[in-house]
Amino acid sequence: MLVPLPHDQIEIDTPVPVTIRDGRGQLLLRSGEVVRNERERELLYLHGPHVEASEYKAWLYGYTTKLDRLLRSDSNLSDIAKARLPSDFRRHGPVSEADDPVTAWPDLHHAVTLLQRQVSGTQDLIQRLDQVEQRMQALLEAEPDRSLFMIVQLLQDPQVGYCAAHALATAAAVTMLAQALVLPQPEQQAMRRAALTMNIGISRLLDERANRPLPVSAAQQQALDEHPLRSMVLLHRLGITDNTWLDLVRDHHEMPDGSGYPARKRGLPLTQQVLRLCDAMFEHHSQRPGITAGTGNLPPAARTLMLDDAGKPHALGAAWLRRLGLYLPGSFVQLANGEIAAVVRRGAKATAPRLLSLVSRQGSPLGEPMSRDGADPDHEVRSVVPRASVKVNIDPRKLLARI
């Protein structure tokens, strides 16, 4: 949809970041072209310039984000008054429901829940997976930090079904790691699909147990122990014949040192190690009492996969730290100055994310979230904080609007 472009928003000798058309859609000026003088600008306005609504909204979003950063950095009023619409911008921000991570990831969670429980055959399963994968990859490419924030928030929300949230988180991390490791595209697709379907044979039981550490019956324990095989068999019955995908589902709890299950295999391929690492990390980061009782940042399985005997990261561990960091966006941490903060963006260093402090060192909620850099000594991350202990209301949209 085209909307009119206000007269004061085209600057002379500055590239325009949007394509400009007249009211009928005829091209007037391409993105990146320059209006060289006042005469050209007046001529442009005689034609009634219009722009795509989504692009114009993203352009304004870049401007308001710039103003917000100036205000939060205590810039003087003259600098704030000089702020102009950006001559380029990332097409992110809440430009549409489909592109907005705050609404898109809950939508994807619903789609994965249905995928895990209501598929009717090969064509139905593949079609659903294609739709989820395409939207997920687009969001991760355009909005990686906001996407990770929403993924972790969903994963840790006891009101949200665990199994689909865990599948989405694992698939997103697999996508990012596989790209960092430059794995072939067919392997990347098989890994994503394995992540989304590896618990298809046990999704209801995992959801029932996630928030309550209930006693396990003999039948439930057998189902838990056998679920990699059950999921593989179910996928095969649905008509899946991709052996890489099926093998990844079957082996997603195996470990290179033979300590995994169900077959205690050794010498596993990199694709399977990536999937197992992502699976283990998000089981741990879910903080669901029926899934994990671990503390700290690295569960034992992840430590084995990421670190060598000296405790230093090898190739897979280095890729995780480089792409995802040690403190995931969406998680909560305590800082060196005693504040409790939300991680909102990965930093230049794995141990130094960008943060928004929510709770003061005295334990009282801050009136407004305060921007913090984990690279500053006073704001270094000291520990991970359970979501349940953060006694403030979390509004993802308001928090994400500040980064």
Side-chain angles (χ1 to χ4, degrees):
M1 182 179 71
L2 293 172
V3 295
L5 180 66
H7 280 46
D8 60 350
Q9 294 184 356
I10 295 295
E11 296 193 12
I12 294 171
D13 286 331
T14 301
V16 295
V18 292
T19 295
I20 299 175
R21 303 178 183 276
D22 66 17
R24 296 172 299 173
Q26 295 297 312
L27 179 67
L28 297 177
L29 204 63
R30 296 183 189 278
S31 173
E33 293 183 336
V34 174
V35 174
R36 293 172 295 180
N37 52 51
E38 187 63 38
R39 182 176 176 277
E40 288 187 1
R41 182 160 63 178
E42 287 301 320
L43 185 62
L44 178 67
Y45 282 122
L46 284 173
H47 287 82
H50 286 65
V51 296
E52 284 290 339
S54 61
E55 288 199 341
Y56 183 59
K57 196 170 184 180
W59 191 14
L60 289 181
Y61 183 81
Y63 174 61
T64 57
T65 300
K66 182 178 180 180
L67 285 180
D68 185 61
R69 286 175 180 161
L70 287 170
L71 288 167
R72 286 189 281 115
S73 63
D74 295 324
S75 298
N76 60 53
L77 290 176
S78 62
D79 288 338
I80 295 173
K82 293 175 185 175
R84 295 289 182 268
L85 281 162
S87 60
D88 62 354
F89 65 96
R90 287 178 59 223
R91 283 161 172 78
H92 67 206
V95 298
S96 73
E97 288 290 313
D99 298 328
D100 181 1
V102 176
T103 54
W105 287 101
D107 285 350
L108 283 169
H109 178 275
H110 178 68
V112 173
T113 300
L114 295 179
L115 181 155
Q116 291 178 336
R117 297 186 179 184
Q118 296 182 9
V119 291
S120 58
T122 310
Q123 185 174 355
D124 182 36
L125 177 60
I126 296 299
Q127 184 176 10
R128 290 174 187 246
L129 283 168
D130 281 342
Q131 292 171 349
V132 169
E133 288 180 89
Q134 290 172 17
R135 194 173 184 192
M136 179 183 73
Q137 289 178 273
L139 286 162
L140 290 172
E141 182 177 351
E143 295 278 14
D145 290 298
R146 288 177 170 86
S147 289
L148 288 170
F149 184 95
M150 286 305 303
I151 287 166
V152 173
Q153 288 287 295
L154 289 170
L155 187 66
Q156 294 181 355
D157 187 345
Q159 303 302 313
V160 171
Y162 166 77
C163 199
H166 175 264
L168 270 180
T170 304
V174 158
T175 298
M176 297 175 77
L177 276 187
Q179 291 171 350
L181 295 165
V182 199
L183 296 178
Q185 285 299 322
E187 291 187 0
Q188 292 192 34
Q189 183 181 65
M191 293 163 69
R192 280 193 302 273
R193 292 184 169 184
L196 292 167
T197 59
M198 61 190 175
N199 293 322
I200 196 170
I202 201 175
S203 61
R204 293 184 186 276
L205 177 58
L206 288 178
D207 281 348
E208 289 169 5
R209 295 187 50 79
N211 297 324
R212 297 180 296 168
L214 301 172
V216 183
S217 69
Q220 288 175 332
Q221 188 61 58
Q222 182 178 2
L224 290 167
D225 292 344
E226 295 178 355
H227 82 269
L229 294 171
R230 291 186 181 190
S231 294
M232 182 195 71
V233 169
L234 179 56
L235 288 169
H236 191 266
R237 287 176 179 169
L238 285 167
I240 303 305
T241 58
D242 182 336
N243 287 329
T244 303
W245 176 1
L246 294 172
D247 289 350
L248 285 165
V249 169
R250 180 194 62 203
D251 295 339
H252 75 270
H253 274 287
E254 301 288 358
M255 291 289 293
D257 61 2
S259 62
Y261 68 91
R264 297 192 175 275
K265 294 184 177 181
R266 292 177 177 268
L268 302 168
L270 180 59
T271 50
Q272 194 277 336
Q273 294 184 51
V274 171
L275 179 60
R276 180 67 195 115
L277 172 61
C278 298
D279 178 21
M281 286 294 277
F282 286 108
E283 284 177 354
H284 181 74
H285 282 289
S286 73
Q287 299 179 2
R288 305 281 186 122
I291 301 297
T292 177
T295 58
N297 240 28
L298 289 181
R303 187 175 295 276
T304 299
L305 289 160
M306 291 178 69
L307 306 178
D308 61 22
D309 291 340
K312 295 182 178 180
H314 46 60
L316 181 52
W320 176 281
L321 295 173
R322 186 169 63 251
R323 290 292 280 134
L324 290 136
L326 192 58
Y327 304 103
L328 293 170
S331 56
F332 300 96
V333 293
Q334 186 160 41
L335 309 185
N337 67 354
E339 294 174 347
I340 292 176
V343 180
V344 291
R345 181 179 290 174
R346 296 160 298 164
K349 294 173 60 179
T351 56
R354 300 306 297 261
L355 310 141
L356 287 174
S357 282
L358 305 174
V359 179
S360 73
R361 70 188 70 187
Q362 290 80 24
S364 57
L366 296 171
E368 286 292 328
M370 301 298 294
S371 180
R372 304 296 189 216
D373 186 344
D376 296 337
D378 283 348
H379 304 136
E380 290 179 353
V381 176
R382 289 294 171 85
S383 62
V384 175
V385 175
R387 176 188 174 122
S389 69
V390 182
K391 304 300 183 183
V392 295
N393 291 325
I394 306 300
D395 185 334
R397 187 175 298 286
K398 288 184 177 179
L399 287 182
L400 294 180
R402 303 182 69 89
I403 67 173

